[in-house]
Amino acid sequence: MTSPAELDETVREAVRGAGAGVAVEPADRRVRLHCLAHAGAGASSYRRWPAAVGQAVDVVALPLPGRENRRRERRVTDRVGLLDDLLAPLLEAAEAGPYALYGHSLGALVVYTLTRALADVGAPPPLFLAVGACLPPHATTALVGAADLPDEELLPLLGDLGSLPQGPAASPGGLWRRSVLPVLRDDLRLAKALREAALDPVTGGPVDVPLLAFAGSEDPMAVPAALREWRQWTTGRIEARTVTGDHFFAGDEALPRLIGEACRERVLGDPA
């Protein structure tokens, strides 16, 4: 869907060099890469990632309730519900060995929230937190608070991001309107709740892990120039990178390849 990432050449060489010649790693050197998808989507968004991340990285896509094989479960729309659903299994995984987190759009807010909650309970931190296609919690967008807008006001906002299907599916009474739009509305409610929780000094604030922030060069919402605004959400190092593509650039091989390289760098103790 998109072409390879457009990185500063020195960063590109450092990343390539650290990942070159990496042999198959023993089990205790493998990294679990936990991924959360954008609003309205599920684990299938990452179906191509295992082949793209490279060796020694295991992709674990975490579906939220209310979609795919969890479609009959009640959807979560607040921080408490999210942590009730995901924190315990992620805590178990954190204790098992090195891991990293990537979230796309809504998923970025989810993985930030999980990273903060893991720190609050004293869990081993991730190697890094990676976020894509998402403005930091303190930023405002047209979609913040849009969950309850009537269709005629919400759909143009989604269309600007390229989220609307073509053809009759998106027409009144169509399959997309009946099955996907309700999920999107609840995911927008969740995104708003997670932004508010991040701004609360009790449940939010910066995390103490390296942060990688990715933006699509043609994303109309999370524009590349805004990536550095994530700086206030970590006490660790931040790297901002732009990849070629729109809001949904996670479907291209460039992003998982870069994140896979970052996993190998950090588990070998040689951060870029």
Side-chain angles (χ1 to χ4, degrees), residues 103-185:
H104 196 83
S105 196
L106 164 69
L109 297 173
V110 172
V111 294
Y112 158 79
T113 302
L114 290 170
T115 302
R116 173 59 201 265
L118 286 166
D120 288 345
V121 298
L127 298 172
F128 58 84
L129 169 64
V131 298
C134 185
L135 295 175
H138 65 276
T140 59
T141 74
L143 286 174
V144 174
D148 296 313
L149 290 177
D151 286 0
E152 59 268 22
E153 295 181 34
L154 177 58
L155 294 184
L157 297 178
L158 298 176
D160 289 343
L161 290 179
S163 296
L164 294 182
Q166 301 297 316
S171 62
L175 179 61
W176 185 88
R177 290 260 194 128
R178 290 184 283 110
S179 61
V180 179
L181 187 56
V183 179
L184 273 171
R185 287 186 180 277

Side-chain angles (χ1 to χ4, degrees), residues 20-35:
V22 178
V24 175
E25 298 293 335
D28 62 350
R29 304 291 292 279
R30 297 187 68 84
V31 180
R32 288 187 179 182
L33 175 60
H34 299 275
C35 301

Side-chain angles (χ1 to χ4, degrees), residues 77 106 109 144 186-196:
T77 57
L106 164 69
L109 297 173
V144 174
D186 275 349
D187 282 354
L188 290 176
R189 294 183 180 99
L190 175 60
K192 183 174 184 291
L194 297 184
R195 288 183 182 277
E196 292 172 348

